[in-house]
């Protein structure tokens, strides 16, 4: 019975009476974690304090921003010679009123090297701009050349179509000879006389656009026909009302 009255060593009553005792040595994982925390703490402390170089820069900027005090030996000499703060140097007080400023050289290159590098960079930039302008000009010229070629081909097609239509409409009206030799296709032109040959030589110098304009005007005034609409209108009023105009550009707009 005495054994039953004793507390069980696994019971809560027995465990609460024990003192908490931790091992005196840390495990390897705990040691690494502690070292990492110490390093992080050290870095944070170092980041809070400025470096020596930054302290020098701050002190230099603060000194340049403040005016020269009367304790400065050079300033004291100027005062003895009659200089007053805020006035310029010289007999008429028109000279420099502030000390000569300076720039701190942080690089390791020699004197004049920085200006030479700037000059070379500026020259390279100017060359790049010139090259870009030249490329843009060449591009514009190329586009204009291709556009001109396309316009010439389009004018030739329109001229050929107009000649065929003009020959067909003239034949329907029993016109045996075109008003000008380029009004009809060359394959259907009648045999030319000496007078016609002389006239043909004069008309050879006419540009394609001028030929097309003349045939267009001839077809519109005589037959109320538009090459680009491919329609023969009933009369001039009908053509004016339904045809955009007498050019290819008017029909493309």
């Amino acid at each position: 019975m005495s054994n039953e009255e004793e507390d069980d060593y696994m019971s809560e009553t027995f465990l609460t009476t024990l003192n908490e005792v931790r091992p005196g040595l840390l495990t390897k994982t705990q040691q690494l974690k502690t070292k990492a925390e110490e390093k992080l703490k050290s870095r944070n402390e170092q980041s809070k304090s400025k470096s020596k170089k930054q302290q020098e820069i701050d002190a230099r900027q603060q000194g340049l921003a403040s005016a020269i005090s009367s304790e400065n030996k050079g300033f004291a000499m100027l005062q003895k010679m009659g200089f007053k703060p805020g006035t310029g140097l010289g007999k008429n007080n028109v000279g420099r009123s502030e000390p000569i400023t300076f720039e701190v050289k942080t690089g390791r290159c020699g004197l004049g090297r920085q200006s030479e590098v700037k000059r070379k960079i500026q020259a390279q930039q100017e060359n790049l701009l010139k090259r870009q302008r030249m490329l843009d000009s060449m591009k514009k010229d190329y586009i204009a050349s291709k556009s001109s070629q396309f316009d010439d081909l389009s004018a030739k097609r329109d001229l050929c179509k107009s000649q065929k239509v003009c020959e067909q409409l003239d034949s329907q009206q029993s016109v045996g000879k075109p008003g000008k030799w380029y009004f009809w296709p060359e394959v259907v032109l009648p045999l030319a006389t000496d007078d016609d040959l002389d006239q043909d030589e004069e008309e050879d110098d006419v540009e394609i656009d001028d030929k097309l304009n003349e045939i267009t005007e001839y077809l519109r005034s005589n037959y109320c026909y538009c090459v680009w609409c491919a329609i023969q209108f009933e009369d001039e009023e009908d053509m004016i009302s339904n045809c955009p105009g007498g050019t290819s550009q008017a029909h493309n707009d």
Side-chain angles (χ1 to χ4, degrees):
M1 295 295 292
S2 59
N3 292 334
E4 294 178 357
E5 293 177 356
E6 295 180 358
D7 293 333
D8 187 5
Y9 70 93
M10 293 298 292
S11 66
E12 184 177 358
T13 305
F14 183 80
L15 293 176
T16 54
T17 59
L18 296 177
N19 295 325
E20 185 178 359
V21 179
R22 294 188 179 183
L25 298 178
L26 298 176
T27 62
K28 188 174 182 180
T29 304
Q30 291 175 336
Q31 292 177 0
L32 294 176
K33 184 177 180 180
T34 303
K35 288 183 179 180
E37 291 176 352
E38 291 177 354
K39 288 183 178 180
L40 181 60
K41 184 178 180 181
S42 176
R43 290 176 183 175
N44 293 334
E45 291 178 354
Q46 291 178 359
S47 61
K48 292 179 181 178
S49 61
K50 295 183 180 179
S51 62
K52 184 178 180 181
K53 184 176 180 181
Q54 186 62 37
Q55 291 176 1
E56 292 178 354
I57 294 174
D58 294 342
R60 187 186 306 116
Q61 296 295 335
Q62 184 178 0
L64 293 174
S66 60
I68 299 176
S69 64
S70 58
E71 298 177 357
N72 185 276
K73 292 183 179 180
F75 187 76
M77 292 175 62
L78 287 174
Q79 283 184 325
K80 289 180 181 179
M81 297 172 65
F83 175 77
K84 295 180 181 180
T87 60
L89 297 175
K91 182 178 180 181
N92 299 322
N93 298 329
V94 294
R96 181 182 292 275
S97 61
E98 295 293 336
I100 299 175
T101 58
F102 65 93
E103 294 182 2
V104 180
K105 186 175 179 298
T106 57
R108 301 183 62 184
C109 56
L111 295 176
R113 173 63 178 172
Q114 190 173 3
S115 60
E116 180 66 17
V117 171
K118 288 182 179 179
R119 187 191 64 79
K120 289 183 178 180
I121 292 175
Q122 186 177 2
Q124 291 178 355
Q125 291 177 349
E126 291 177 356
N127 291 333
L128 289 175
L129 289 175
K130 290 181 181 178
R131 179 176 177 82
Q132 187 63 37
R133 293 193 196 100
M134 183 180 66
L135 292 176
D136 293 341
S137 177
M138 292 174 62
K139 183 179 179 180
K140 290 180 180 179
D141 294 341
Y142 177 79
I143 294 175
S145 176
K146 289 297 182 181
S147 178
S148 177
Q149 292 179 6
F150 177 79
D151 293 341
D152 291 342
L153 292 175
S154 179
K156 288 180 180 179
R157 288 195 297 267
D158 292 339
L159 177 62
C160 181
K161 188 189 303 183
S162 300
Q163 289 174 335
K164 293 180 180 179
V165 172
C166 185
E167 188 272 331
Q168 292 176 0
L169 294 176
D170 284 345
S171 298
Q172 293 176 5
Q173 298 296 325
S174 300
V175 178
K177 182 180 178 181
K180 294 184 178 181
W181 69 269
Y182 52 80
F183 278 19
W184 290 6
E186 293 184 5
V187 294
V188 298
L189 289 175
L191 296 176
T193 61
D194 294 339
D195 295 337
D196 294 336
L197 292 175
D198 294 338
Q199 183 180 1
D200 293 347
E201 291 178 357
E202 295 177 357
E203 295 173 351
D204 284 338
D205 297 333
V206 181
E207 297 293 335
I208 294 178
D209 292 336
D210 295 335
K211 294 178 181 179
L212 180 60
N213 291 335
E214 290 186 25
I215 299 177
T216 300
E217 183 62 27
Y218 176 79
L219 293 175
R220 294 175 70 88
S221 60
N222 289 275
Y223 301 109
C224 295
Y225 186 88
C226 177
V227 177
W228 295 279
C229 294
I231 296 174
Q232 186 175 10
F233 297 94
E234 296 180 359
D235 50 27
E236 186 176 357
E237 183 178 356
D238 183 24
M239 182 174 64
I240 294 174
S241 301
N242 299 297
C243 180
T247 60
S248 175
Q249 185 65 29
H251 289 75
N252 293 331
D253 293 340

